Amino acid sequence: MRRTLLTTLLFILVMWNFAGSQTASPGYKVIVNEENPVSEISVKELSKIFLKRIRKWDNGEKILPVDLEESSPARESFSREVHQKKVSAIKAYWQKQIFTGRGVPPPEKDSPREVLQYIEEHEGAIGYIPENVSIENFKVKVIRVKAED
Amino acid sequence: MNKGITLKLRLGVIFFLFSSLLNAQQNGLNIHGFINQAYAVSRGYEIFGIPEKGSTDYRTLAIQFRYDASEHSTFVIQFSHKRMGNSPIMQKKSDVELDWAFYEYHINDKTSFKFGRIQVPFGIYNEIRDVGVLLPFYQVPYTPYGEGNYTSETVNGITVCQKITRFNPWRIQLELYAGEWQWIEWAIFKNPLNQSNIEIVEDADFKNALGAQLWVETPMEGIRLGLGGYRGKVRGGIQFVDEVLGEEILYEINFSVDARLDNSFFRSELGRVKILHNNIYSNAFNSTVGFYLTDRWCLNLQAEVHHIKGAVVLPEWRRTDLDFFEDVALGLNYEFSPSLVLKLENHWNRSYIIEEPIDITRPPLQTQYTIFSFSSSF
C-alpha cells in the first residue's frame, strides 16, 4: 500500500514538472564596459557570474553583475535561458544567501538606461538589456553568448 | 552621572551610529530583514504555544546588517524579535535578541572561515528556520529542528567552509564547526496541592561541540543531498541534571534530500540522536512535497514522525519506547511575489509535546492546529 502511494506520488511529481516545461525566446543582449577585453562568454559562465560563483574576470578585475528589476520581460528571458530557472527561483536563491549570511544579490536597476549607465561607469560590470534597446551614446559593447563552454 | 547627561550621551551614540551607517551604506553596507506574522488556533490541546481561543501573538521579525569591509572580509549581525504565543520557551526569550554576529574571512573563492556567533549549518532548514518566504509552512519541521529550542540555531565558535569543484558537474560543500551552544528544555507538571500547572523551563549547555555538514549538488539541476551531524557534551536543562540523566555525550546525524524542480519540490530528512551513556535513541523523519498549481499558488503536504527508543520513565526508572511525535500538515500558499507570501495550513498532531501535564505511560494526545500567516522580506 505504502509503495503504491509513493509510486503514485512520484508519478504525479514527474508529470507535473513535465507538463510545466517550456522554452522562452532570448529577447535580451549581454553587455559589458567597452574597455573589457571579453568578446564572448558561455551560458554556464554567465549563470555563474550572476549567481556570484565566478567573481573575477581573467585579468583579475572584479566582476560586477547588474540585474534588471524582477518584473522586466528581459529579466524573465535571461533567467529562463541562462539560469534555466524562473525569476522567482533565483530570487529565492538570493534570499537564502542573504539570510544565511552568505552573500547579497547583484544590484537591480529599474530600466535598461540605468543598466547602461552602471556598466559605463564600472569597468568590471556586466549586464543585459532588452534586445531592441540601442547602446548608442554609451561606452558599452555587446558580447556574444555561446551555448556551450 | 545625572539623567540629562546620560540622555545626551545616548543620543550622541545613536547619532554617531546612525551617521556611520548612512556613510557605510555607500561603501558595502547592506540591510535586509524579514517578518512573519500569524494568527494561530488549536483544537483539542494547546501546542507550540497556540491556544484554543486563538492568538495573533505569533511572529518573527529580524533585521540584518552586512558590511563587506573588503573582498575578503565581511561582518554580519542579525537581531530578531520572536513570539510564540503561550509557549513555555517564551519565558527564556527576550523581546529583542541577538540572532547571530560573525566575522567572515574568505581565503579564496573556495575556502572561508567564520568566527563569532554563527548559525549551525545543520540540515535543510536550520540556517533559514525563521525566514518565512523560504519555508513551505510557518514553522520548520519539529523533527529534527524543535520549536526553536532543541536543535540549536547558533554556535559560539568557528566554522570553516570548503567548496570542492574537482568533481564537476557535482558540486560539493563541506562545513565544519566547533564551539558551544545552549538549548531550552521545558516540562509541565500538576501541582498536587492545588492542581494548577507548574511550568519548568531551563537552559541546557552543550559544550565541546564538533560538527560537519556536507552538501552534494548533483548534475541534475536543483537536486542536492546532505549529510550532517555533531557531537558534544550536554549538561543541565531538565533531562541532563544529576537527578535524571546527568551529564551526557550526545550525537546527532541527519541525512537530507532536497529537490527543487520547475513546478514542484520535494524535501526529506532522516535523523538519529543518540544519548550515549543512558543508551537512548531517537529516530526522526520529515518529508515535504509541494506542487505549484500556478505561478502564485502552491499546495504543500508534510509528514513528520519522531520515535524514541529507551526513554526513561521517572520515578521508577523504567525504560519505554515512545511514538513521541507525529504530525501531518496540509497547506496552501499564495505568493504575491517571492518576497511576500500568504499561507494557510492545518496540522493533525499526535504527540507528547502538548502543553499540559503529560503521562508518558499513556498514549500520546491528539490535537489540531491551524495557522494563517503572511511573510515578507526585503
Side-chain angles (χ1 to χ4, degrees):
Chain A
M1 178 63 186
R2 274 185 188 172
R3 190 174 289 176
T4 313
L5 203 67
L6 196 65
T7 312
T8 311
L9 203 62
L10 280 173
F11 178 75
I12 293 170
L13 208 64
V14 169
M15 292 311 291
W16 196 262
N17 288 286
F18 181 72
S21 300
Q22 53 179 304
T23 54
S25 58
Y28 63 87
K29 54 193 171 193
V30 176
I31 52 174
V32 294
N33 187 288
E34 70 175 9
E35 300 296 322
N36 194 322
V38 170
S39 60
E40 62 176 22
I41 195 164
S42 76
V43 171
K44 275 186 186 169
E45 285 171 327
L46 202 53
S47 176
K48 285 179 182 171
I49 284 171
F50 276 81
L51 297 177
K52 294 193 178 176
R53 287 174 179 168
I54 299 177
R55 290 168 181 268
K56 284 181 179 168
W57 296 106
D58 287 344
N59 63 7
E61 175 101 29
K62 190 178 175 188
I63 303 178
L64 299 168
V66 56
D67 259 320
L68 272 169
E69 53 95 18
E70 68 182 75
S71 63
S72 155
R75 170 92 181 255
E76 182 63 42
S77 300
F78 182 83
S79 200
R80 274 267 166 216
E81 280 287 305
V82 174
H83 299 304
Q84 313 280 308
K85 286 187 169 79
K86 292 176 186 171
V87 176
S88 57
I90 299 300
K91 292 287 278 190
Y93 166 84
W94 279 114
Q95 281 175 333
K96 195 169 173 182
Q97 296 296 304
I98 290 167
F99 293 115
T100 54
R102 290 201 168 90
V104 289
E108 284 184 0
K109 300 294 175 189
D110 289 334
S111 68
R113 187 179 175 78
E114 285 182 43
V115 171
L116 287 161
Q117 280 171 346
Y118 182 87
I119 293 173
E120 190 177 60
E121 287 163 13
H122 299 88
E123 211 168 294
I126 181 168
Y128 54 89
I129 53 174
E131 210 162 27
N132 57 1
V133 172
S134 167
I135 61 167
E136 262 182 33
N137 305 322
F138 289 95
K139 290 174 182 165
V140 302
K141 65 180 185 183
V142 176
I143 60 170
R144 195 170 81 85
V145 179
K146 297 182 290 178
E148 297 297 326
D149 281 325
Chain B
M1 203 184 305
N2 70 41
K3 283 182 181 175
I5 295 172
T6 311
L7 182 66
K8 279 176 190 166
L9 264 177
R10 282 185 185 165
L11 286 172
V13 169
I14 290 168
F15 178 76
F16 173 76
L17 285 174
F18 189 66
S19 54
S20 303
L21 285 175
L22 282 180
N23 191 33
Q25 183 91 48
Q26 319 294 324
N27 304 303
L29 179 75
N30 284 278
I31 303 173
H32 292 279
F34 62 81
I35 182 168
N36 314 308
Q37 171 65 52
Y39 169 74
V41 61
S42 64
R43 288 176 300 283
Y45 296 94
E46 182 174 302
I47 185 169
F48 299 130
I50 302 171
E52 287 187 84
K53 63 179 192 296
S55 175
T56 52
D57 188 24
Y58 225 74
R59 83 187 66 84
T60 314
L61 185 151
I63 188 156
Q64 182 196 105
F65 302 91
R66 178 191 172 92
Y67 180 59
D68 291 304
S70 73
E71 208 175 300
H72 297 285
S73 299
T74 304
F75 291 89
V76 186
I77 186 163
Q78 182 170 302
F79 297 95
S80 75
H81 160 76
K82 186 166 185 165
R83 292 295 307 166
M84 294 175 65
N86 298 339
S87 172
I89 71 168
M90 291 313 303
Q91 289 183 26
K92 291 277 183 180
K93 296 266 183 191
S94 310
D95 272 349
V96 178
E97 292 196 329
L98 175 68
D99 261 358
W100 25 277
F102 61 80
Y103 166 73
E104 183 172 23
Y105 185 78
H106 287 269
I107 294 173
N108 52 44
D109 281 352
K110 291 177 184 164
T111 312
S112 62
F113 289 86
K114 286 179 191 171
F115 306 91
R117 185 179 170 102
I118 310 149
Q119 321 95 295
V120 176
F122 180 83
I124 294 172
Y125 292 110
N126 199 52
E127 292 171 284
I128 54 163
R129 61 188 309 151
D130 291 318
V131 190
V133 293
L134 296 175
L135 303 175
F137 293 92
Y138 182 81
Q139 296 179 128
V140 293
Y142 179 77
T143 53
Y145 300 99
E147 52 181 312
N149 56 339
Y150 285 109
T151 298
S152 175
E153 298 165 39
T154 54
V155 52
N156 295 307
I158 180 172
T159 70
V160 184
C161 179
Q162 178 69 45
K163 291 173 184 164
I164 300 160
T165 52
R166 71 171 66 169
F167 304 108
N168 196 29
W170 298 78
R171 294 181 70 240
I172 297 169
Q173 181 176 295
L174 177 65
E175 278 187 88
L176 305 173
Y177 51 96
E180 60 185 54
W181 61 77
Q182 283 190 322
W183 66 62
I184 302 167
E185 295 190 341
W186 60 265
I188 300 175
F189 301 98
K190 191 68 87 184
N191 184 339
L193 298 176
N194 59 11
Q195 297 302 303
S196 64
N197 290 348
I198 304 171
E199 285 183 359
I200 300 176
V201 187
E202 295 292 340
D203 287 323
D205 293 313
F206 196 64
K207 304 264 186 192
N208 305 328
L210 276 175
Q213 176 69 42
L214 177 75
W215 280 110
V216 178
E217 286 186 32
T218 70
M220 286 176 285
E221 190 64 38
I223 300 177
R224 62 178 187 150
L225 307 172
L227 181 64
Y230 58 80
R231 68 84 71 210
K233 197 179 279 185
V234 57
R235 181 164 187 81
I238 291 172
Q239 297 179 82
F240 302 101
V241 292
D242 290 341
E243 299 76 18
V244 190
L245 301 179
E247 185 174 276
E248 261 288 10
I249 304 287
L250 185 144
Y251 294 86
E252 180 160 7
I253 58 162
N254 194 51
F255 173 70
S256 319
V257 179
D258 182 8
R260 174 71 160 89
L261 309 171
D262 247 4
N263 294 310
S264 65
F265 67 85
F266 173 75
R267 292 171 191 153
S268 195
E269 292 184 282
L270 184 62
R272 170 170 267 214
V273 175
K274 183 178 181 184
I275 298 170
L276 190 67
H277 298 128
N278 283 280
N279 205 27
I280 301 170
Y281 295 89
S282 83
N283 294 315
F285 171 77
N286 74 67
S287 200
T288 311
V289 61
F291 298 99
Y292 290 93
L293 307 173
T294 68
D295 277 353
R296 295 184 186 278
W297 290 98
C298 186
L299 181 70
N300 300 310
L301 297 157
Q302 185 171 275
E304 296 179 58
V305 179
H306 189 170
H307 182 78
I308 299 176
K309 202 170 166 57
V312 177
V313 182
L314 294 174
E316 312 93 288
W317 279 90
R318 184 166 56 78
R319 295 296 184 128
T320 186
D321 295 346
L322 295 176
D323 291 325
F324 185 69
F325 183 90
E326 292 171 4
D327 193 277
V328 174
L330 177 66
L332 187 64
N333 296 355
Y334 183 78
E335 202 178 284
F336 288 97
S337 74
S339 51
L340 182 61
V341 184
L342 277 179
K343 299 176 192 170
L344 177 63
E345 63 199 71
N346 195 68
H347 296 250
W348 292 264
N349 186 282
R350 186 171 170 270
S351 70
Y352 289 100
I353 62 155
I354 304 294
E355 286 150 8
E356 293 277 335
I358 289 286
D359 181 353
I360 64 168
T361 60
R362 299 174 67 86
L365 297 173
Q366 292 187 31
T367 191
Q368 277 191 50
Y369 59 99
T370 303
I371 303 177
F372 177 65
S373 64
F374 86 89
S375 300
S376 182
S377 69
F378 67 89

